[in-house]
Amino acid sequence: DTGVSQDPRHKITKRGQNVTFRCDPISEHNRLYWYRQTLGQGPEFLTYFQNEAQLEKSRLLSDRFSAERPKGSFSTLEIQRTEQGDSAMYLCASSRTDAGNQPQHFGDGTRLSIL
Amino acid sequence: GENVEQHPSTLSVQEGDSAVIKCTYSDSASNYFPWYKQELGKGPQLIIDIRSNVGEKKDQRIAVTLNKTAKHFSLHITETQPEDSAVYFCAAAETSYDKVIFGPGTSLSVIP
């Protein structure tokens, strides 16, 4: 497989701007996850999809955050009106539920820096 | 909700020595415990995982143990090599495809 792909790898933007990240999961993986990782901490769960359905959202996912997976393949995570506290690494992972106990595979993330 | 604690936060060992990282979790509903290795600028990479119906699992130089009664699990790396230097995260989840709760990480340095 080609692995989980995330784009862009780095994003620098001014406070108040909107940003959108893309994640392409491993093909045939029906679950897709978003996590956020701040410096020196472990990843924190944000949300996940099974196919195109968003099944769970963390309370960390404020109203300014929205995630979609319109065709059950790639996903986008949008942050509106960015704030300094949004600076973090945004990680995407994917797995499958139809082939036994398969682990989550992570991409290399999008690092967001808010000026 | 689930809370995962991890110790130590930093660990320095001589090449060839063993390294041990210990974790605890709080939610008895957790049945899946993966361990991830993260190198600088990269995403977490799964190195080994264990499920609650197993007490120990080994893969070459890496072994994990699980005590479900005490809610403890540990990672053991033997014959450490400089390329083992990275941040290691323990984690817990109900299943491998549920949300994963990560510990705060252990920065391992292997000194040649």
Side-chain angles (χ1 to χ4, degrees), chain A residues 82-101:
Chain A
T82 52
E83 301 174 355
Q84 293 281 356
D86 296 332
S87 294
M89 174 80 85
Y90 290 84
L91 293 162
C92 177
S94 69
S95 72
R96 55 189 301 181
T97 59
D98 57 349
N101 295 313

Side-chain angles (χ1 to χ4, degrees), chain A residues 28-107:
Chain A
E28 299 179 353
H29 277 195
N30 56 348
R31 284 214 173 173
L32 186 149
Y33 312 78
W34 287 99
Y35 293 82
R36 182 175 71 184
Q37 185 177 25
T38 53
L39 207 59
Q41 301 297 318
E44 296 175 292
F45 170 77
L46 292 178
T47 188
Y48 80 84
F49 295 82
Q50 175 144 328
N51 300 314
E52 64 275 9
Q54 189 172 17
L55 296 188
E56 187 172 350
K57 293 194 291 186
S58 161
R59 57 183 167 77
L60 292 176
L61 213 66
S62 75
D63 291 346
R64 296 183 298 105
F65 288 70
S66 62
E68 294 183 344
R69 195 183 182 197
K71 298 182 180 178
S73 56
F74 73 92
S75 175
T76 58
L77 177 67
E78 182 184 15
I79 309 174
Q80 296 182 327
R81 305 180 304 281
T82 52
E83 301 174 355
Q84 293 281 356
D86 296 332
S87 294
M89 174 80 85
Y90 290 84
L91 293 162
C92 177
S94 69
S95 72
R96 55 189 301 181
T97 59
D98 57 349
N101 295 313
Q102 296 296 314
Q104 295 179 27
H105 297 269
F106 281 81

Side-chain angles (χ1 to χ4, degrees), chain B residues 34-112:
Chain B
W35 287 85
Y36 285 87
K37 174 184 180 181
Q38 188 173 29
E39 297 174 335
L40 204 61
K42 300 282 192 179
Q45 180 182 21
L46 181 80
I47 55 171
I48 196 167
D49 56 12
I50 190 168
R51 288 168 177 82
S52 59
N53 58 346
V54 174
E56 185 172 354
K57 183 177 179 181
K58 191 173 181 180
D59 182 5
Q60 299 182 340
R61 298 186 295 109
I62 295 174
V64 291
T65 59
L66 171 64
N67 182 330
K68 208 163 192 305
T69 304
K71 297 191 179 72
H72 290 174
F73 57 120
S74 301
L75 175 73
H76 302 249
I77 305 174
T78 58
E79 301 171 19
T80 53
Q81 301 166 4
E83 50 266 37
D84 294 329
S85 296
V87 179
Y88 291 79
F89 293 98
C90 61
E94 288 192 26
T95 69
S96 62
Y97 44 82
D98 283 311
K99 64 183 179 186
V100 175
I101 306 301
F102 285 81
T106 295
S107 178
L108 173 65
S109 297
V110 179
I111 304 165

